Amino acid sequence: MRHTFCPTESLTARSICSARKDAVRRSYAHGFPYSRKLTAHRSCVNYLAFSRHDGRWLASAGDDFCVQLWDFSLEDVQRPSHTFTGPSGNVLALDFSATNQYLYSGGADNIILKYDVSTARELVGSSSSSFIGEYRDHDESVRALTCHPYEDEVFLSAGEDGKLVLHDGRAGSRMSAAQGTLQHTAEFTGVQHHPVMEHIFATSDVHGQVCLRDTRMAFGPSSKRSNNGIVRVYNTKLSRKATDYLSNPESSSVTFDRDGDKLAVTFLHYFPTIYALSDPHPLAICTGRNAPDGSPIPPSQRTYTNSCTMKSGAFGGPGMDEDDMYAAGSDDFRGYVWKVPPLISLQGLRNEITARDWYAREWPNIVAFAEGKWESRYVPFEIRTPLAQLNGHRSIVNSVAIHPFLLHIVTSGVERQVILHSPTPSSPVAHHLPPTPPTVRSLQPHDLEAQRTFLRALFGPHPTLHEDGEGSGNETEEETISLFDHILREEGEADVFMVRRWGEEDDRDSESEDETIIDVFDTSFSD
């Protein structure tokens, strides 16, 4: 029997959806002022990832050579439910497979390990297990890995050896190691599968190049490869009138939103930048020039920067039908959350300046994006007021993850703890959360005692890892914090135009930037 759709039903559904969105937005209108420290690691926590769709598992990993699984189906998350062992170096990347059957890790030991998540489901209480598979295709550190959106046995990895590797563990796969490897001239820093289109993925490298690629063009026999798989090159070079050259900041990570309409790039010495999938020019940058209440940050106060360490951001929209938030860590010991306007709005807010106008007029305090010295300039909209600042850390924040549907954000970095942030003091998975201290530790000036602490950390057996019994937890963590304080004093607040100068000859070592766009990207903006 055919059901006749009634306009009243549509109106009711829209009203319910609108009411839900309003309730969610009211919940985090004042940010995420409550938190809890999740303690299990013995060193820096480099990467965080929630399991796909349900968000039951949070995976965390770092410099202590293990992966912790936290079960968000429990009533009050306080300790990990399972530990995966096996890495022999710092873990830099994690991802869950399409159905969350497997978890993959990669890092400084050049090896990718495969874990069976069902082990954690079956074992009650805190437990541990080792890996069930390993991949040794890289010659240097594995910087990023990303799983296929539909196939548990398929994933991509990117390394500092310039290799991009397609791993296909399905029965009957006939692709050889050579056919599954793309060799680049620069170190890869990021790779991300498109969440819907199974053949499409994005990459970033140390030269600042961000590309959209197609596995059908990037891998397989050489006779079937084309343009290194590139179907779009994004505009990532910076220009300002006072400087007669462009800058190409290192693009240190890339990530899509849940629908794959938006792409965010984390730049070293610059701001997180938002692109539309179908537009090579940036639409927005996320800064911290204002406090969440809209008041300007005084020049003497530190705010969002990214001048050292490897950072990764995340889109999210818990309780919503779209990802309208973006979050990232910062060198000022905070995490930041920005509300991202609709793409169609950002397109109208972006300013395009012809090359003639750029050179004919003065453009004070304007930093634009340009594909070359004599090309048009694009000034993306600046989201200068974050939705929230995530406090609670005492050093650099490197990784942020947003739960798929619960109003929780987790952050981690130089310290051993993962911090669970919440807009309310209690939730279905966390009870009696205390208020987060509103103040943040200042970066102390250099002194003799700081120098001694820095040297103890630098010349220890492992600069950031301290085995039990090597001293109190507070002392050893202070050494790690001092180490990164020293790095910040040396490298922090650097001018991207001073540290990353781009010349026309730089493109000779880069891949072809032929923008061969296939029909799937011929899309229009939608609200």
Side-chain angles (χ1 to χ4, degrees), residues 85-323:
T85 60
S88 57
N90 298 353
V91 180
L92 306 176
L94 296 167
D95 200 15
F96 286 90
S97 67
T99 67
N100 300 317
Q101 182 176 353
Y102 304 119
L103 175 67
Y104 296 89
S105 74
D109 58 4
N110 313 343
I111 302 170
I112 298 168
L113 299 179
K114 177 182 180 181
Y115 301 100
D116 186 354
V117 178
S118 66
T119 303
R121 295 191 186 98
E122 294 165 359
L123 298 175
V124 179
S126 182
S127 56
S128 66
S129 61
S130 188
F131 55 92
I132 61 170
E134 61 179 349
Y135 304 81
R136 296 176 174 267
D137 301 274
H138 289 279
D139 302 315
E140 295 183 43
S141 296
V142 179
R143 280 289 298 269
L145 53 86
T146 179
C147 291
H148 191 281
Y150 308 118
E151 299 288 347
D152 278 321
E153 302 280 357
V154 181
F155 67 96
L156 290 162
S157 61
E160 293 182 357
D161 53 5
K163 287 182 181 179
L164 189 66
V165 182
L166 173 62
H167 308 266
D168 189 345
R170 292 174 295 184
S173 175
R174 298 180 180 178
M175 185 175 291
S176 66
Q179 291 176 344
T181 302
L182 173 66
Q183 183 65 57
H184 187 26
T185 56
E187 299 175 12
F188 279 112
T189 58
V191 62
Q192 184 77 37
H193 246 302
H194 191 276
V196 179
M197 294 183 284
E198 60 179 319
H199 298 294
I200 304 304
F201 64 100
T203 61
S204 60
D205 67 32
V206 294
H207 287 173
Q209 190 179 59
V210 175
C211 299
L212 205 63
R213 302 178 191 253
D214 190 319
T215 56
R216 295 165 295 187
M217 297 164 57
F219 303 106
S222 57
S223 60
K224 294 186 177 180
R225 297 192 185 197
S226 174
N227 199 30
N228 290 309
I230 297 175
V231 295
R232 169 153 287 128
V233 176
Y234 291 94
N235 181 1
T236 58
K237 291 184 281 291
L238 302 175
S239 173
R240 69 181 176 193
K241 192 65 183 294
T243 308
D244 62 358
Y245 55 84
L246 304 182
S247 174
N248 60 327
E250 176 181 324
S251 47
S252 51
S253 67
V254 290
T255 187
F256 287 108
D257 70 339
R258 77 176 75 173
D259 298 319
D261 296 328
K262 295 188 286 285
L263 176 70
V265 181
T266 304
F267 286 110
L268 197 62
H269 302 297
Y270 200 60
F271 304 108
T273 304
I274 309 295
Y275 295 81
L277 180 73
S278 56
D279 187 342
H281 307 296
L283 294 176
I285 58 172
C286 301
T287 73
R289 300 191 203 276
N290 293 341
D293 64 4
S295 59
I297 299 294
S300 60
Q301 185 176 324
R302 299 172 70 221
T303 183
Y304 178 89
T305 54
N306 177 24
S307 59
C308 64
T309 72
M310 292 178 282
K311 295 183 177 65
S312 56
F315 282 104
M320 312 291 278
D321 54 7
E322 63 177 346
D323 286 345

Side-chain angles (χ1 to χ4, degrees), residues 382-399:
E382 181 180 350
I383 308 174
R384 59 173 53 211
T385 302
L387 174 70
Q389 294 172 332
L390 305 174
N391 296 333
H393 286 277
R394 300 183 61 246
S395 191
I396 300 170
V397 179
N398 290 331
S399 186

Side-chain angles (χ1 to χ4, degrees), residues 319-483:
M320 312 291 278
D321 54 7
E322 63 177 346
D323 286 345
D324 62 354
M325 293 191 298
Y326 180 75
S330 169
D331 290 347
D332 71 339
F333 312 157
R334 294 184 177 97
Y336 283 78
V337 185
W338 295 272
K339 181 76 161 54
V340 181
L343 292 178
I344 193 169
S345 299
L346 292 175
Q347 186 188 32
L349 293 168
R350 180 179 63 192
N351 186 20
E352 181 178 355
I353 305 169
T354 65
R356 180 187 296 273
D357 283 348
W358 179 260
Y359 288 106
R361 298 169 53 188
E362 294 299 321
W363 299 93
N365 303 317
I366 295 295
V367 175
F369 285 73
E371 294 175 311
K373 287 185 66 174
W374 311 110
E375 303 295 330
S376 294
R377 267 57 176 178
Y378 295 84
V379 183
F381 176 69
E382 181 180 350
I383 308 174
R384 59 173 53 211
T385 302
L387 174 70
Q389 294 172 332
L390 305 174
N391 296 333
H393 286 277
R394 300 183 61 246
S395 191
I396 300 170
V397 179
N398 290 331
S399 186
V400 181
I402 303 175
H403 196 277
F405 62 87
L406 296 173
L407 296 179
H408 285 304
I409 299 177
V410 289
T411 56
S412 69
V414 166
E415 299 151 274
R416 304 175 181 191
Q417 296 86 12
V418 176
I419 298 186
L420 172 67
H421 303 270
S422 173
T424 58
S426 292
S427 79
V429 299
H431 302 164
H432 310 299
L433 300 179
T436 306
T439 58
V440 176
R441 185 179 72 89
S442 300
L443 180 62
Q444 298 300 312
H446 179 79
D447 58 26
L448 183 59
E449 182 57 33
Q451 177 73 5
R452 290 171 178 163
T453 307
F454 161 69
L455 291 175
R456 283 198 302 271
L458 183 63
F459 294 107
H462 190 291
T464 62
L465 175 62
H466 302 277
E467 299 291 345
D468 294 339
E470 288 189 13
S472 72
N474 289 338
E475 289 178 359
T476 54
E477 185 157 79
E478 286 302 320
E479 291 182 6
T480 301
I481 290 174
S482 179
L483 174 65

